[in-house]
Amino acid sequence: MAFVVTATSGHLGRLVVRDLLDRTVPAAEIVAGARNLDSITDLAQAGVRTAVIDYNDPSTLEQALTTGDTLILVSGNDLANRDRQHADAVAVAAKAGVGHLVYTSGLQAAQSPSPIAASHAATENVVRDSGVPYTLLRNGWYTENYARGLDAVRASGVLLASVGDGRVASATRQDFAAAIGAVVTTGGHLGHTYELSGDVAWSYHDLASALTELLDRDVTYQPVTPEEHVAALTTAGVPDQMAAMAVAVDAGIRAGAFAFTNGDLARLIGRPTTPLVEGLRPLV
């Protein structure tokens, strides 16, 4: 029996493999999956087994799984095809006789006002109906999501967003990876759904203060309307589709999609979640 981790060329999947190794899971019992094995040579060098796993080709997952394995299904990022890809993967897991299926879902997926989180509900239903023993880990907002906007904030001193007074209970990918590691290496998690988020729901004024500390310059949060936000992004050269997505994400935050916190993540990892400033520090 093995721990089969998908999407290990991505940030979260790679961290899950590293977390399992840190928990002294034998490297030979870990299978790291990716579409391109050249992207995970570092994991192969750590001694783990590697396998081509492509969500668009279910046969690749079928070849990687054996009866009784634990499958950590890290959600894909092909939003247009993700429901089908995930359903195919779950069907393969059921056919293989997987002993435990762990799916990385979205915070409060069933009722989230965020299209990003809510899109996971379809896969959750497939998992529940599959007959495979499962755990649903509803991941909240990654602190690292702010990396892409740091250069603009550093240059302007302005944190521009249309989140209003919305709050975010973020945590780091390492925090979420540690929760996955805990769930697959300890008992008592089958059939459970965990809402995973940071211990503190902070505001964008708090985010501006954290960036002020880390960037060594004054940073001010400038709230704008969704219309003003779209205009600012497109004027800065952001493609229309990406600008619309960014504003939709902010609308979800404004509606409270990522403010929920119940302590599940801290309980699973056995420590407080990483504070905002410390989560941002490696990014600046």
Side-chain angles (χ1 to χ4, degrees):
M1 294 184 290
F3 298 92
V4 180
V5 188
T6 69
T8 59
S9 59
H11 295 293
L12 182 61
R14 178 175 266 105
L15 287 171
V16 170
V17 172
R18 294 292 181 183
D19 182 84
L20 292 174
L21 291 171
D22 289 343
R23 294 175 187 274
T24 68
V25 174
E29 296 179 9
I30 302 171
V31 178
R35 285 180 297 177
N36 181 358
L37 297 187
D38 289 341
S39 65
I40 55 171
T41 55
D42 60 313
L43 300 181
Q45 290 168 358
V48 306
R49 291 185 280 158
T50 60
V52 173
I53 295 179
D54 185 341
Y55 289 150
N56 283 317
D57 185 356
S59 69
T60 59
L61 182 58
E62 187 172 2
Q63 293 168 20
L65 289 173
T66 58
T67 301
D69 284 348
T70 292
L71 172 61
I72 299 166
L73 181 60
V74 178
S75 57
N77 56 15
D78 181 357
L79 299 183
N81 297 296
R82 186 162 68 178
D83 289 355
R84 171 186 56 79
Q85 293 171 338
H86 290 172
D88 288 345
V90 173
V92 169
K95 181 180 178 181
V98 163
H100 188 188
L101 170 60
V102 176
Y103 174 63
T104 62
S105 185
L107 190 66
Q108 295 190 300
Q111 66 267 21
S112 176
S114 166
I116 294 176
S119 67
H120 292 281
T123 299
E124 288 193 357
N125 290 335
V126 170
V127 170
R128 293 190 191 95
D129 293 341
S130 69
V132 178
Y134 70 87
T135 305
L136 299 176
L137 298 182
R138 290 176 165 177
N139 289 358
W141 198 246
Y142 300 150
T143 301
E144 291 90 343
N145 288 342
Y146 294 99
R148 65 179 66 97
L150 284 180
D151 287 344
V153 174
R154 182 183 284 108
S156 67
V158 175
L159 173 64
L160 187 144
S162 52
V163 301
D165 294 324
R167 289 179 173 267
V168 178
S170 72
T172 64
R173 288 192 182 97
Q174 184 63 64
D175 291 339
F176 291 109
I180 295 171
V183 162
V184 300
T185 59
T186 62
H189 304 292
L190 295 182
H192 285 262
T193 298
Y194 294 103
E195 303 285 356
L196 304 185
S197 56
D199 296 336
V200 176
W202 46 261
S203 71
Y204 268 54
H205 291 291
D206 297 326
L207 177 57
S209 295
L211 293 174
T212 294
E213 175 182 339
L214 294 170
L215 298 178
D216 197 27
R217 67 159 300 164
D218 288 337
V219 175
T220 303
Y221 167 44
Q222 180 180 332
V224 293
T225 66
E227 295 75 17
E228 291 168 336
H229 196 185
V230 168
L233 291 172
T234 54
T235 299
V238 177
D240 291 349
Q241 187 174 5
M242 292 182 63
M245 176 59 74
V247 174
V249 168
D250 276 19
I253 293 174
R254 188 171 64 250
F258 297 102
F260 179 81
T261 182
N262 65 356
D264 274 359
L265 181 52
R267 282 189 288 272
L268 283 175
I269 65 180
R271 59 169 174 79
T273 60
T274 306
L276 177 61
V277 169
E278 296 310 313
L280 292 170
R281 193 179 300 280
L283 310 179
V284 301

